[in-house]
mmCIF file of all heavy atoms in Angstrom:
data_model
loop_
_atom_site.group_PDB
_atom_site.id
_atom_site.type_symbol
_atom_site.label_atom_id
_atom_site.label_comp_id
_atom_site.label_asym_id
_atom_site.label_seq_id
_atom_site.Cartn_x
_atom_site.Cartn_y
_atom_site.Cartn_z
ATOM 1 N N LEU R 1 0.373 20.769 -3.030
ATOM 2 C CA LEU R 1 1.573 19.931 -3.053
ATOM 3 C C LEU R 1 1.743 19.183 -1.741
ATOM 4 O O LEU R 1 1.979 17.970 -1.731
ATOM 5 C CB LEU R 1 2.802 20.805 -3.325
ATOM 6 C CG LEU R 1 4.174 20.129 -3.166
ATOM 7 C CD1 LEU R 1 4.344 19.029 -4.199
ATOM 8 C CD2 LEU R 1 5.293 21.155 -3.292
ATOM 9 N N LEU R 2 1.617 19.895 -0.635
ATOM 10 C CA LEU R 2 1.830 19.268 0.670
ATOM 11 C C LEU R 2 0.762 18.216 0.950
ATOM 12 O O LEU R 2 1.070 17.105 1.411
ATOM 13 C CB LEU R 2 1.822 20.344 1.757
ATOM 14 C CG LEU R 2 2.266 19.911 3.157
ATOM 15 C CD1 LEU R 2 3.678 19.355 3.121
ATOM 16 C CD2 LEU R 2 2.191 21.095 4.128
ATOM 17 N N MET R 3 -0.487 18.526 0.652
ATOM 18 C CA MET R 3 -1.565 17.567 0.920
ATOM 19 C C MET R 3 -1.454 16.339 0.021
ATOM 20 O O MET R 3 -1.591 15.207 0.489
ATOM 21 C CB MET R 3 -2.919 18.251 0.732
ATOM 22 C CG MET R 3 -3.255 19.273 1.802
ATOM 23 S SD MET R 3 -4.943 19.930 1.663
ATOM 24 C CE MET R 3 -4.787 20.884 0.154
ATOM 25 N N ALA R 4 -1.201 16.554 -1.265
ATOM 26 C CA ALA R 4 -1.123 15.425 -2.191
ATOM 27 C C ALA R 4 0.104 14.568 -1.909
ATOM 28 O O ALA R 4 0.024 13.329 -1.917
ATOM 29 C CB ALA R 4 -1.093 15.940 -3.636
ATOM 30 N N GLN R 5 1.240 15.218 -1.656
ATOM 31 C CA GLN R 5 2.473 14.444 -1.439
ATOM 32 C C GLN R 5 2.400 13.623 -0.159
ATOM 33 O O GLN R 5 2.741 12.442 -0.142
ATOM 34 C CB GLN R 5 3.664 15.402 -1.393
ATOM 35 C CG GLN R 5 4.996 14.696 -1.324
ATOM 36 C CD GLN R 5 5.744 15.009 -0.026
ATOM 37 O OE1 GLN R 5 5.175 15.537 0.914
ATOM 38 N NE2 GLN R 5 7.008 14.653 0.001
ATOM 39 N N GLN R 6 1.937 14.220 0.928
ATOM 40 C CA GLN R 6 1.846 13.488 2.185
ATOM 41 C C GLN R 6 0.771 12.404 2.125
ATOM 42 O O GLN R 6 0.952 11.313 2.687
ATOM 43 C CB GLN R 6 1.549 14.465 3.327
ATOM 44 C CG GLN R 6 2.697 15.391 3.672
ATOM 45 C CD GLN R 6 3.910 14.633 4.178
ATOM 46 O OE1 GLN R 6 3.853 13.943 5.178
ATOM 47 N NE2 GLN R 6 5.025 14.755 3.465
ATOM 48 N N SER R 7 -0.326 12.677 1.434
ATOM 49 C CA SER R 7 -1.364 11.656 1.280
ATOM 50 C C SER R 7 -0.861 10.483 0.458
ATOM 51 O O SER R 7 -1.170 9.317 0.754
ATOM 52 C CB SER R 7 -2.605 12.267 0.617
ATOM 53 O OG SER R 7 -3.156 13.287 1.418
ATOM 54 N N ALA R 8 -0.061 10.765 -0.582
ATOM 55 C CA ALA R 8 0.479 9.692 -1.413
ATOM 56 C C ALA R 8 1.484 8.844 -0.632
ATOM 57 O O ALA R 8 1.521 7.614 -0.791
ATOM 58 C CB ALA R 8 1.139 10.288 -2.655
ATOM 59 N N ILE R 9 2.303 9.473 0.202
ATOM 60 C CA ILE R 9 3.237 8.705 1.026
ATOM 61 C C ILE R 9 2.474 7.854 2.039
ATOM 62 O O ILE R 9 2.817 6.684 2.277
ATOM 63 C CB ILE R 9 4.226 9.647 1.740
ATOM 64 C CG1 ILE R 9 5.141 10.323 0.719
ATOM 65 C CG2 ILE R 9 5.070 8.881 2.761
ATOM 66 C CD1 ILE R 9 6.116 11.309 1.328
ATOM 67 N N PHE R 10 1.425 8.420 2.622
ATOM 68 C CA PHE R 10 0.593 7.649 3.556
ATOM 69 C C PHE R 10 -0.031 6.444 2.853
ATOM 70 O O PHE R 10 0.000 5.322 3.382
ATOM 71 C CB PHE R 10 -0.499 8.553 4.132
ATOM 72 C CG PHE R 10 -1.549 7.820 4.922
ATOM 73 C CD1 PHE R 10 -1.274 7.354 6.187
ATOM 74 C CD2 PHE R 10 -2.807 7.590 4.384
ATOM 75 C CE1 PHE R 10 -2.230 6.667 6.918
ATOM 76 C CE2 PHE R 10 -3.766 6.904 5.101
ATOM 77 C CZ PHE R 10 -3.486 6.454 6.368
ATOM 78 N N CYS R 11 -0.591 6.656 1.655
ATOM 79 C CA CYS R 11 -1.172 5.540 0.905
ATOM 80 C C CYS R 11 -0.103 4.513 0.560
ATOM 81 O O CYS R 11 -0.363 3.301 0.581
ATOM 82 C CB CYS R 11 -1.838 6.055 -0.369
ATOM 83 S SG CYS R 11 -3.328 7.024 -0.098
ATOM 84 N N GLY R 12 1.113 4.986 0.245
ATOM 85 C CA GLY R 12 2.205 4.067 -0.056
ATOM 86 C C GLY R 12 2.571 3.211 1.139
ATOM 87 O O GLY R 12 2.800 1.995 1.004
ATOM 88 N N LEU R 13 2.634 3.825 2.311
ATOM 89 C CA LEU R 13 2.949 3.057 3.516
ATOM 90 C C LEU R 13 1.866 2.021 3.815
ATOM 91 O O LEU R 13 2.162 0.862 4.145
ATOM 92 C CB LEU R 13 3.109 4.001 4.713
ATOM 93 C CG LEU R 13 4.398 4.812 4.788
ATOM 94 C CD1 LEU R 13 4.335 5.807 5.930
ATOM 95 C CD2 LEU R 13 5.595 3.884 4.969
ATOM 96 N N MET R 14 0.611 2.429 3.723
ATOM 97 C CA MET R 14 -0.475 1.487 3.970
ATOM 98 C C MET R 14 -0.480 0.357 2.936
ATOM 99 O O MET R 14 -0.732 -0.804 3.255
ATOM 100 C CB MET R 14 -1.829 2.220 3.934
ATOM 101 C CG MET R 14 -2.053 3.186 5.092
ATOM 102 S SD MET R 14 -2.126 2.366 6.712
ATOM 103 C CE MET R 14 -0.472 2.637 7.323
ATOM 104 N N ARG R 15 -0.166 0.705 1.698
ATOM 105 C CA ARG R 15 -0.105 -0.309 0.651
ATOM 106 C C ARG R 15 1.048 -1.287 0.896
ATOM 107 O O ARG R 15 0.926 -2.486 0.642
ATOM 108 C CB ARG R 15 0.048 0.378 -0.703
ATOM 109 C CG ARG R 15 0.005 -0.550 -1.904
ATOM 110 C CD ARG R 15 0.075 0.267 -3.182
ATOM 111 N NE ARG R 15 0.236 -0.558 -4.359
ATOM 112 C CZ ARG R 15 -0.741 -1.171 -5.003
ATOM 113 N NH1 ARG R 15 -1.979 -1.041 -4.568
ATOM 114 N NH2 ARG R 15 -0.508 -1.898 -6.088
ATOM 115 N N ASN R 16 2.154 -0.775 1.409
ATOM 116 C CA ASN R 16 3.300 -1.640 1.677
ATOM 117 C C ASN R 16 3.004 -2.670 2.766
ATOM 118 O O ASN R 16 3.603 -3.743 2.779
ATOM 119 C CB ASN R 16 4.510 -0.800 2.083
ATOM 120 C CG ASN R 16 5.122 -0.063 0.905
ATOM 121 O OD1 ASN R 16 4.689 -0.231 -0.237
ATOM 122 N ND2 ASN R 16 6.115 0.762 1.168
ATOM 123 N N THR R 17 2.103 -2.342 3.684
ATOM 124 C CA THR R 17 1.784 -3.297 4.745
ATOM 125 C C THR R 17 1.094 -4.544 4.196
ATOM 126 O O THR R 17 1.067 -5.577 4.862
ATOM 127 C CB THR R 17 0.874 -2.649 5.805
ATOM 128 O OG1 THR R 17 -0.382 -2.278 5.206
ATOM 129 C CG2 THR R 17 1.529 -1.415 6.418
ATOM 130 N N THR R 18 0.534 -4.446 2.997
ATOM 131 C CA THR R 18 -0.210 -5.568 2.415
ATOM 132 C C THR R 18 0.535 -6.191 1.233
ATOM 133 O O THR R 18 -0.077 -6.887 0.429
ATOM 134 C CB THR R 18 -1.596 -5.091 1.937
ATOM 135 O OG1 THR R 18 -1.428 -4.126 0.878
ATOM 136 C CG2 THR R 18 -2.370 -4.441 3.071
ATOM 137 N N SER R 19 1.821 -5.942 1.121
ATOM 138 C CA SER R 19 2.558 -6.396 -0.063
ATOM 139 C C SER R 19 2.526 -7.915 -0.209
ATOM 140 O O SER R 19 2.364 -8.440 -1.317
ATOM 141 C CB SER R 19 4.004 -5.902 -0.002
ATOM 142 O OG SER R 19 4.656 -6.391 1.159
ATOM 143 N N GLN R 20 2.679 -8.652 0.903
ATOM 144 C CA GLN R 20 2.681 -10.107 0.798
ATOM 145 C C GLN R 20 1.316 -10.657 0.382
ATOM 146 O O GLN R 20 1.237 -11.662 -0.334
ATOM 147 C CB GLN R 20 3.090 -10.735 2.131
ATOM 148 C CG GLN R 20 4.539 -11.167 2.196
ATOM 149 C CD GLN R 20 5.420 -10.018 2.672
ATOM 150 O OE1 GLN R 20 5.227 -9.542 3.778
ATOM 151 N NE2 GLN R 20 6.358 -9.596 1.871
ATOM 152 N N ILE R 21 0.251 -9.994 0.791
ATOM 153 C CA ILE R 21 -1.091 -10.434 0.394
ATOM 154 C C ILE R 21 -1.263 -10.300 -1.115
ATOM 155 O O ILE R 21 -1.842 -11.167 -1.777
ATOM 156 C CB ILE R 21 -2.164 -9.616 1.140
ATOM 157 C CG1 ILE R 21 -2.004 -9.791 2.654
ATOM 158 C CG2 ILE R 21 -3.567 -10.023 0.701
ATOM 159 C CD1 ILE R 21 -2.926 -8.925 3.468
ATOM 160 N N ARG R 22 -0.723 -9.215 -1.669
ATOM 161 C CA ARG R 22 -0.845 -8.998 -3.111
ATOM 162 C C ARG R 22 0.144 -9.844 -3.907
ATOM 163 O O ARG R 22 -0.119 -10.188 -5.062
ATOM 164 C CB ARG R 22 -0.653 -7.512 -3.415
ATOM 165 C CG ARG R 22 -1.809 -6.652 -2.907
ATOM 166 C CD ARG R 22 -1.616 -5.175 -3.164
ATOM 167 N NE ARG R 22 -0.626 -4.594 -2.268
ATOM 168 C CZ ARG R 22 0.514 -4.061 -2.652
ATOM 169 N NH1 ARG R 22 0.844 -4.041 -3.934
ATOM 170 N NH2 ARG R 22 1.352 -3.532 -1.771
ATOM 171 N N ASP R 23 1.280 -10.162 -3.309
ATOM 172 C CA ASP R 23 2.287 -10.960 -4.025
ATOM 173 C C ASP R 23 1.921 -12.441 -4.082
ATOM 174 O O ASP R 23 2.164 -13.113 -5.088
ATOM 175 C CB ASP R 23 3.654 -10.807 -3.353
ATOM 176 C CG ASP R 23 4.335 -9.493 -3.712
ATOM 177 O OD1 ASP R 23 4.012 -8.940 -4.784
ATOM 178 O OD2 ASP R 23 5.171 -9.021 -2.933
ATOM 179 N N ILE R 24 1.374 -12.955 -2.985
ATOM 180 C CA ILE R 24 1.059 -14.385 -2.910
ATOM 181 C C ILE R 24 -0.304 -14.612 -3.556
ATOM 182 O O ILE R 24 -1.342 -14.308 -2.973
ATOM 183 C CB ILE R 24 1.075 -14.873 -1.448
ATOM 184 C CG1 ILE R 24 2.483 -14.679 -0.862
ATOM 185 C CG2 ILE R 24 0.653 -16.324 -1.351
ATOM 186 C CD1 ILE R 24 2.588 -14.979 0.606
ATOM 187 N N GLN R 25 -0.280 -15.119 -4.773
ATOM 188 C CA GLN R 25 -1.498 -15.287 -5.558
ATOM 189 C C GLN R 25 -1.711 -16.756 -5.895
ATOM 190 O O GLN R 25 -0.871 -17.600 -5.630
ATOM 191 C CB GLN R 25 -1.411 -14.441 -6.832
ATOM 192 C CG GLN R 25 -1.255 -12.952 -6.563
ATOM 193 C CD GLN R 25 -1.148 -12.147 -7.836
ATOM 194 O OE1 GLN R 25 -1.189 -12.678 -8.943
ATOM 195 N NE2 GLN R 25 -1.025 -10.844 -7.698
ATOM 196 N N GLY R 26 -2.860 -17.017 -6.491
ATOM 197 C CA GLY R 26 -3.183 -18.384 -6.895
ATOM 198 C C GLY R 26 -4.259 -19.017 -6.052
ATOM 199 O O GLY R 26 -4.868 -20.010 -6.470
ATOM 200 N N ALA R 27 -4.506 -18.471 -4.863
ATOM 201 C CA ALA R 27 -5.545 -19.005 -3.977
ATOM 202 C C ALA R 27 -6.659 -17.980 -3.826
ATOM 203 O O ALA R 27 -6.473 -16.781 -4.074
ATOM 204 C CB ALA R 27 -4.957 -19.355 -2.612
ATOM 205 N N ASP R 28 -7.815 -18.452 -3.406
ATOM 206 C CA ASP R 28 -8.973 -17.577 -3.214
ATOM 207 C C ASP R 28 -9.037 -17.000 -1.805
ATOM 208 O O ASP R 28 -9.604 -15.925 -1.600
ATOM 209 C CB ASP R 28 -10.275 -18.325 -3.495
ATOM 210 C CG ASP R 28 -10.447 -18.657 -4.970
ATOM 211 O OD1 ASP R 28 -9.879 -17.917 -5.802
ATOM 212 O OD2 ASP R 28 -11.130 -19.639 -5.284
ATOM 213 N N LEU R 29 -8.484 -17.714 -0.843
ATOM 214 C CA LEU R 29 -8.632 -17.249 0.536
ATOM 215 C C LEU R 29 -7.479 -17.731 1.410
ATOM 216 O O LEU R 29 -6.751 -18.663 1.059
ATOM 217 C CB LEU R 29 -9.977 -17.707 1.119
ATOM 218 C CG LEU R 29 -10.323 -19.189 1.002
ATOM 219 C CD1 LEU R 29 -10.087 -19.887 2.319
ATOM 220 C CD2 LEU R 29 -11.775 -19.352 0.573
#
């Protein structure tokens, strides 16, 4: 529980840092 929960929160934080990259679509680069 502790390993999975903390790892999931860590992945969530790292994923949140890239939210604008994933939201802004339509271009290749």
Side-chain angles (χ1 to χ4, degrees):
L1 171 65
L2 190 58
M3 290 187 291
Q5 186 243 14
Q6 290 297 300
S7 298
I9 293 178
F10 170 75
C11 291
L13 285 173
M14 291 296 99
R15 185 176 172 83
N16 286 356
T17 63
T18 64
S19 60
Q20 261 88 61
I21 301 174
R22 291 178 286 117
D23 282 335
I24 298 174
Q25 300 179 0
D28 291 333
L29 51 102

